[in-house]
Amino acid sequence: MDQRNAPAFAATAAVVIGIALGQRAVYLPPGPLVFVLGGCFALVIGPEKRRWALWMVAAVAGALYGGASAPRGGGDPAEDRPVRVVGEVVSHPWGPEGERRLWLRTDHLRQGTRVWTDRRRILVGIPRSDGETPLPVTSPFALGETLRIRGYLKRIEPAAGFGPAREGPWRLSVPSRRFITRDGAPEPGDRWGTRLRAVVVEGLGDLPAETRGLATALLLGDTSDLDSRWGRGLRRAGLGHLLAVSGLHVALVGALGFLAAGRLPRRARLTVTAAVMLLYVLAVGPKPSAIRATAMGLLTLGALALERPPRALNALAVAVLVMVLQDPARLDDLGFRLSVSATLGILLLAAPAAQRWTALPPPLRMPLAVSWSAQLSVLPALLPLSGTLHPAAPLLGLVAIPWLAAVLVSSLLHVLAASAFPALQTATARCLGALTLPLSAFSDLPAHAVWTFPVTPSAATGWGALAAGLAVGWWPRRALRVLALLWILGMPGGGASHRGPLEVIVLDVGQGDSILLRDGERAALVDGGGWRRGDAGGRVLVPALARLGVRRLSAAVLTHGDTDHCGGLRDLSAYLPMEEIWGPPGLGTVPCVAELLTTRGPRWRPLWRGQRLVLGRFKLEVLWPRPADRQPGNDRSLVLSVRAGERRILLTGDIEEGTERRLLRGTRREDLTADVLKVAHHGSRSSSRPPFLAAVSPRIAVISAGGGNRFGHPHPGVLADLRRAGTQILRTDVHGPIRLRIHPDRARGDLTIDLPFAGRPRSVQ
């Protein structure tokens, strides 16, 4: 590190570390006492050590500031009870029509006689209409407005896959827009940002849907309309960060402003560039990566205007310090941490790495070093969440970054053409359409470990991967580079051998189903959960399977075409290789299933009543549907009887009461009897009727449902019927993921229940 950068960088690090510790401290001494003692200490020691004392004082000052800004106790509001909230809109509204959302930072929150005055971030769903008259959804509320809202609070519980449950943000449900009142106008800067954003959205409105979604994502960082296949394609290659507005986007927009002011004096050009960058970040909104990039850009322009050499590390230090002092809660924001880590990695690692990589052609050294250092530096923060390495990402970045930069510039030119030069709109639209074609082809590539390599998601894995990556890039001895690569490829995954127990693992996917059958390296995933929007495969299933050591699937089993069963498998097919896809016939017209079946690589294998299959030591028999059956929806769900040694597991999909009666009439009692029943339709009252439960006679019932789901699953009546039958009930919304281990080599085929994140293992005789 340049010595001229060291003081500012170290002082910022001291303050930020102090703030982080102060927010988590139980007790902090009085501030004046600390400063008096620190000042006396700085005066007593020698001048060569005085700087360290001052940095210590800076750290303590940060701790005091962090402690003062930390949220105070007082508990949380009760869920599903009316609340009154007054707060400021701190994000531009986003999402498709009918699903518009925004972030609100509360000034105070009242529930009954209790009042909370700490500043909380709450996700607000905007109602479609006021109850009678439909209202416009493009920009219902502006950034910076103060709103008074009456509604119901609920804590969002994110799906945990196979990991500990995490506490999600609060969401405020509002019955009607009549319960939202404007209480304060936004600041002038926020008004400018809202208007500019509307101009951009309107300028892109004439483009085809796929092209418009990509252009909006690159220009504004809003991925709500981005084609799901394109988003998955970028994420699986480790390039999803290119859709977050950051230094690349701000620098390109600033460069266009600088070129547009080409005939002005030098300082005037720099002023225009700064103004363009400020307007751009106002349109994007207060995203941490955009604010950080703009702050660094403005500091660099200021240095150039004063005819001083810009120092990027100093600019990063000042930007981070100002952002954290303005809002200490940013330290817990993943986007902020990733943005700062990537930038710091580029500034510290890229130039030395490029100097060492003498075997590469000179034009490739610095671009590859920049891409490598950015990817490497975010691993400690990202791997514990994603559980995936992207080996080809640095190389793919050499192509993807210039290409997406061209898309961004073309999108901006199209917006300018729509506003000022309508005659050029057709040409810019054609250019944009041509530039987006390669992304579609890239999304169709089959899943492979070159794009996505699952590893155990943990902090140790993240720091270990960082150390191994540094060894590969820096260590001069080739043998250690090879060892580092082998270490990465051999990261522990928790896989089992063929002589170990059979495992049936019910993953926590929220409101949906996903059950893993595993015998050593042979594994099948029955359903995958999923959401109407988002990437359940990449965000939930890949980390869960990586934690379990599963890096490929022998089969992906689809019980029926509902999104909460099919969506996750569709997403997962882009990340993990699959040998086959099994499912009932006649689902090809369901959009989610049709997209899943277009996946390159796995073979489609239709299943119907009477078929028998083998998966390692598992023996599977299909009990439903019949080949010619035309029952609609849930009643056409695949029903599997799974035999594991002497134990049986019955997987029922989402069948309803009608199919239960058909199974009772047409199936032998011994084929229905099971030790473990996966309760149909998440415990809905429309199934699991007493006659069916009596025929199955399960000792254990597992229910996969999302915590606090809006459907009321599982139904209290179903739970009561199971208890009356003497059945032990296990629920993902209560116990988290459920792991059943079966030992077929033992005399009675012992079955062990393991609730890894809810209790201790215990055996069932």
Side-chain angles (χ1 to χ4, degrees):
M1 182 188 299
D2 191 331
Q3 291 299 315
R4 289 168 293 186
N5 292 320
F9 188 79
T12 296
V15 173
V16 169
I17 292 172
I19 290 175
L21 294 175
Q23 286 192 303
R24 294 158 177 79
V26 177
Y27 168 76
L28 287 172
L33 176 61
V34 172
F35 279 104
V36 169
L37 293 177
C40 293
F41 179 70
L43 291 174
V44 169
I45 63 174
E48 69 280 359
K49 297 181 179 179
R50 193 164 294 161
R51 178 180 295 171
W52 295 100
L54 294 175
W55 288 344
M56 183 192 72
V57 172
V60 174
L64 293 170
Y65 183 82
S69 62
R72 295 300 167 208
D76 287 325
E79 296 189 32
D80 296 324
R81 286 186 56 197
V83 296
R84 294 174 179 266
V85 178
V86 178
E88 179 185 355
V89 178
V90 292
S91 74
H92 288 295
W94 79 93
E97 182 175 350
E99 299 179 22
R100 305 289 287 175
R101 289 167 288 176
L102 55 82
W103 284 104
L104 193 77
R105 186 171 59 205
T106 63
D107 289 326
H108 67 268
L109 185 153
R110 180 185 296 274
Q111 187 175 71
T113 59
R114 296 193 63 186
V115 177
W116 289 264
T117 57
D118 54 317
R119 298 172 74 80
R120 302 167 182 246
R121 282 173 62 90
I122 295 177
L123 186 64
V124 181
I126 304 173
R128 253 175 128 167
S129 69
D130 63 359
E132 299 174 358
T133 308
L135 296 176
V137 297
T138 53
S139 182
F141 302 103
L143 175 68
E145 278 192 286
T146 300
L147 303 179
R148 291 181 177 269
I149 307 177
R150 290 176 292 161
Y152 297 86
L153 273 181
K154 180 178 286 292
R155 177 75 79 175
I156 299 175
E157 297 184 9
F162 192 80
R166 290 175 291 137
E167 192 175 67
W170 287 99
R171 174 161 186 162
L172 183 64
S173 298
V174 187
S176 166
R177 290 195 189 180
R178 290 177 293 182
F179 294 91
I180 304 178
T181 305
R182 287 180 165 89
D183 195 51
E187 298 292 331
D190 293 329
R191 287 200 298 269
W192 271 98
T194 301
R195 291 171 185 169
L196 285 171
R197 191 179 183 91
V199 169
V200 173
V201 172
E202 185 178 349
L204 299 174
D206 64 323
L207 294 172
E210 291 181 339
T211 305
R212 183 177 66 250
L214 179 61
T216 305
L218 286 172
L219 277 178
L220 301 176
D222 183 356
T223 59
S224 55
D225 287 329
L226 180 67
D227 184 274
S228 58
R229 296 178 299 110
W230 293 2
R232 284 197 302 272
L234 288 172
R235 283 189 293 271
R236 72 163 175 182
L239 301 175
H241 63 280
L242 296 178
L243 297 177
V245 176
S246 59
L248 172 67
H249 304 70
V250 174
L252 284 172
V253 172
L256 290 177
F258 188 79
L259 292 174
R263 296 191 178 186
L264 296 176
R266 182 171 178 274
R267 289 194 175 182
R269 293 181 72 184
L270 294 176
T271 302
V272 170
T273 304
V276 170
M277 292 168 61
L278 279 172
L279 291 174
Y280 179 57
V281 77
L282 286 175
V284 169
K287 299 179 183 294
S289 56
I291 296 174
R292 190 271 312 158
T294 304
M296 291 184 65
L298 294 177
L299 290 169
T300 300
L301 292 174
L304 293 174
L306 296 173
E307 298 183 353
R308 295 181 179 179
R311 304 200 181 280
L313 271 176
N314 278 343
L316 176 62
V318 173
V320 169
L321 184 61
V322 172
M323 291 178 68
V324 172
L325 289 176
Q326 190 271 330
D327 185 5
R330 283 199 174 103
L331 288 174
D332 294 323
D333 187 289
L334 179 62
F336 175 77
R337 298 204 302 267
L338 293 178
S339 176
V340 173
S341 299
T343 307
L344 185 61
I346 292 171
L347 296 179
L348 294 180
L349 303 177
Q355 293 173 2
R356 289 173 179 265
W357 295 350
T358 55
L360 292 174
L364 291 180
R365 290 177 193 169
M366 183 52 74
L368 185 59
V370 169
S371 182
W372 168 81
S373 57
Q375 296 282 340
L376 191 66
S377 57
V378 299
L379 290 179
L382 205 55
L383 266 187
L385 298 176
S386 68
T388 53
L389 288 171
H390 304 282
L395 290 173
L396 292 174
L398 295 179
V399 178
I401 291 175
W403 164 51
L404 288 176
V407 177
L408 188 149
V409 172
S410 299
S411 303
L412 188 57
L413 292 176
H414 182 78
V415 172
L416 293 175
S419 303
F421 308 102
L424 298 177
Q425 272 187 280
T426 303
T428 54
R430 288 177 180 173
C431 179
L432 265 175
L435 286 171
T436 55
L437 287 177
L439 188 54
S440 178
F442 176 75
S443 301
D444 293 334
L445 293 174
H448 197 278
V450 170
W451 321 120
T452 300
F453 185 80
V455 295
T456 305
S458 68
T461 304
W463 287 105
L466 173 61
L470 288 173
V472 170
W474 290 73
W475 205 267
R477 296 183 181 181
R478 186 174 301 174
L480 287 181
R481 298 182 189 180
V482 174
L483 287 176
L485 284 172
L486 292 177
W487 187 87
I488 293 175
L489 296 177
M491 283 181 183
S497 67
H498 282 289
R499 284 175 287 186
L502 301 175
E503 292 185 312
V504 180
I505 302 170
V506 184
L507 303 179
D508 177 11
V509 293
Q511 185 62 18
D513 273 3
S514 189
I515 302 168
L516 181 70
L517 307 177
R518 184 170 68 167
D519 179 13
E521 296 181 356
R522 301 284 291 173
L525 189 65
V526 183
D527 291 326
W531 317 307
R532 285 202 302 127
R533 305 187 65 84
D535 185 1
R539 295 180 180 177
V540 178
L541 294 181
V542 171
L545 296 177
R547 193 182 296 272
L548 292 164
V550 177
R551 296 188 175 121
R552 64 181 302 112
L553 292 174
S554 302
V557 186
L558 178 65
T559 60
H560 62 298
D562 286 358
T563 303
D564 61 336
H565 293 249
C566 169
L569 292 181
R570 174 199 60 200
D571 301 337
L572 186 65
S573 65
Y575 297 93
L576 254 62
M578 303 173 177
E579 295 178 16
E580 293 186 330
I581 300 174
W582 302 348
L587 293 180
T589 58
V590 179
C592 178
V593 180
E595 189 175 344
L596 174 62
L597 297 184
T598 59
T599 304
R600 293 182 58 186
R603 303 179 298 274
W604 165 247
R605 185 172 182 178
L607 301 181
W608 51 80
R609 182 183 176 92
Q611 286 184 295
R612 290 177 169 82
L613 308 103
V614 176
L615 179 77
R617 290 172 289 173
F618 285 107
K619 305 295 188 295
L620 290 78
E621 182 179 358
V622 183
L623 302 183
W624 193 263
R626 294 172 297 207
D629 183 73
R630 291 294 179 267
Q631 294 295 325
N634 292 338
D635 275 324
R636 201 168 160 70
S637 291
L638 193 68
V639 178
L640 293 174
S641 176
V642 181
R643 175 172 289 181
E646 298 300 318
R647 301 288 185 174
R648 286 197 181 193
I649 302 99
L650 188 64
L651 307 180
T652 55
D654 275 1
I655 61 171
E656 308 280 358
E657 183 179 0
T659 297
E660 290 181 349
R661 289 197 299 265
R662 297 183 189 96
L663 284 170
L664 290 174
R665 288 196 302 265
T667 307
R668 296 181 305 171
R669 180 69 176 259
E670 55 267 27
D671 291 336
L672 279 179
T673 303
D675 299 281
V676 180
L677 170 67
K678 199 291 295 184
V679 176
H681 204 183
H682 323 291
S684 167
R685 191 56 172 166
S686 60
S687 53
S688 302
R689 308 307 297 160
F692 184 74
L693 295 178
V696 178
S697 302
R699 303 181 63 187
I700 301 170
V702 295
I703 302 174
S704 182
N709 64 85
R710 61 190 178 92
F711 306 102
H713 295 159
H715 193 278
V718 172
L719 297 177
D721 290 341
L722 289 168
R723 292 191 188 100
R724 277 194 293 269
T727 304
Q728 182 180 355
I729 302 171
L730 303 174
R731 300 166 47 176
T732 59
D733 60 332
V734 174
H735 304 102
I738 301 162
R739 189 181 212 163
L740 306 177
R741 288 191 174 100
I742 302 167
H743 303 267
D745 53 338
R746 298 180 184 175
R748 301 182 60 183
D750 286 351
L751 186 152
T752 301
I753 301 172
D754 184 5
L755 306 176
F757 303 103
R760 299 178 61 84
R762 48 204 172 90
S763 295
V764 177
Q765 298 299 321

